[in-house]
Amino acid sequence: MNLSDSRTAGQPVVRPLARLSAAEAVFNTIREDIESGAIPVGSKLSSEATLSQQYGVSRSVIREALRSCTALGLTVTRTGKGTFVVASKVANDLTLGQYSARDLTEARPHIEIPAAGLAAERRTAEELEILRGIVAAMAVETDPESWVALDSSFHATIARASGNKVFASVVADIRDALAHQSETLNMVADRQHASDIEHQQILAAIESGSAEKARAAMAHHLEAVGVALDSILNN
């Protein structure tokens, strides 16, 4: 990585990054400088292309890091103008596309817990095999963006396996917001490994055919997500 250049004119020299994923490292560095005031509110960050060159990472990694800054309410990206710092501390809620973290936290238990129960009773052999494949892939996936895509697929597949078109449609509608949430939680709260274990528990419950176990496993997962969100917002 090229750590000798500053992110923007007149701003601090980029420091060496910790041994994290590239997106985590970029995100943590930018967040630290925003919260410390090194990059003041009102500043415009360098372009994705410039940041990519400075950090020696792909533009997709930069976009991932900037999305998390935006989700935390620290920055806002204006089409055609760039990304601007709008706050020096985390917002009271996360912005996840067209929904907020609070929207998801309140709604998901009413959708995904009963959907998991129905999936245990109604899933087809093909749907079960798809879920097994997703969980197996997530356990070895090292690319954060690919993992997030698998996470979204996991929840969408369970909703489809419920056999209830309303549940399937709602989860499909919030899929992008779920992806943004997972992406942010993985970077800020290091949730990926814990989520892998929770997904394995959900899969095992659905495999068992027990609606009660499947509902309990999904409830445990969503509760853990909620705790992680609270830790970010109340930090």
Side-chain angles (χ1 to χ4, degrees):
M1 292 182 182
N2 183 351
L3 302 174
S4 61
D5 300 326
S6 62
R7 281 182 301 282
T8 61
Q11 292 184 1
V13 172
V14 177
R15 295 182 295 277
L17 302 177
R19 288 183 177 275
L20 306 169
S21 76
E24 281 180 294
V26 173
F27 163 74
N28 286 337
T29 303
I30 295 175
R31 179 185 179 184
E32 179 185 338
D33 283 343
I34 290 174
E35 293 184 331
S36 70
I39 303 178
V41 172
S43 298
K44 177 182 177 181
L45 299 183
S46 294
S47 67
E48 287 181 3
T50 300
L51 291 173
S52 174
Q53 184 177 26
Q54 289 172 348
Y55 283 117
V57 297
S58 68
R59 292 183 66 169
S60 65
V61 166
I62 296 299
R63 282 194 293 272
E64 187 179 349
L66 293 180
R67 279 197 299 266
S68 289
C69 286
T70 297
L72 293 181
L74 298 173
T75 62
V76 63
T77 298
R78 299 176 180 134
T79 303
K81 296 183 178 180
T83 299
F84 298 83
V85 178
V86 294
S88 60
K89 62 180 182 179
V90 175
N92 293 327
D93 199 4
L94 302 187
T95 301
L96 305 165
Q98 61 180 319
Y99 301 106
S100 71
R102 183 175 294 110
D103 290 335
L104 297 182
T105 299
E106 291 174 350
R108 290 183 71 184
H110 300 288
I111 301 161
E112 295 195 73
I113 292 175
L118 290 173
E121 297 175 332
R122 299 174 177 175
R123 82 291 189 280
T124 65
E126 181 182 3
E127 288 165 339
L128 192 55
E129 194 59 34
I130 291 172
L131 286 172
R132 288 176 182 145
I134 292 171
V135 169
M138 293 180 80
V140 298
E141 183 56 67
T142 57
D143 178 70
E145 193 170 358
S146 297
W147 188 94
V148 165
L150 289 167
D151 181 42
S152 297
S153 294
F154 178 77
H155 288 278
T157 301
I158 290 174
R160 289 196 302 271
S162 74
N164 185 298
K165 292 183 179 179
V166 174
F167 288 154
S169 177
V170 172
V171 173
D173 183 63
I174 65 174
R175 186 166 176 162
D176 285 346
L178 293 179
H180 287 315
Q181 179 171 275
S182 291
E183 183 177 67
T184 302
L185 287 177
N186 288 348
M187 278 201 273
V188 183
D190 194 23
R191 274 283 305 162
Q192 184 168 323
H193 178 64
S195 287
D196 281 341
I197 294 173
E198 291 155 18
H199 289 161
Q200 290 164 10
Q201 294 169 341
I202 294 169
L203 172 60
I206 291 175
E207 282 180 318
S208 75
S210 170
E212 181 179 1
K213 290 180 180 179
R215 287 192 296 266
M218 182 64 78
H220 171 69
H221 174 54
L222 296 181
E223 181 179 0
V225 169
V227 169
L229 283 169
D230 286 342
S231 72
I232 295 172
L233 298 176
N234 298 322
N235 187 7

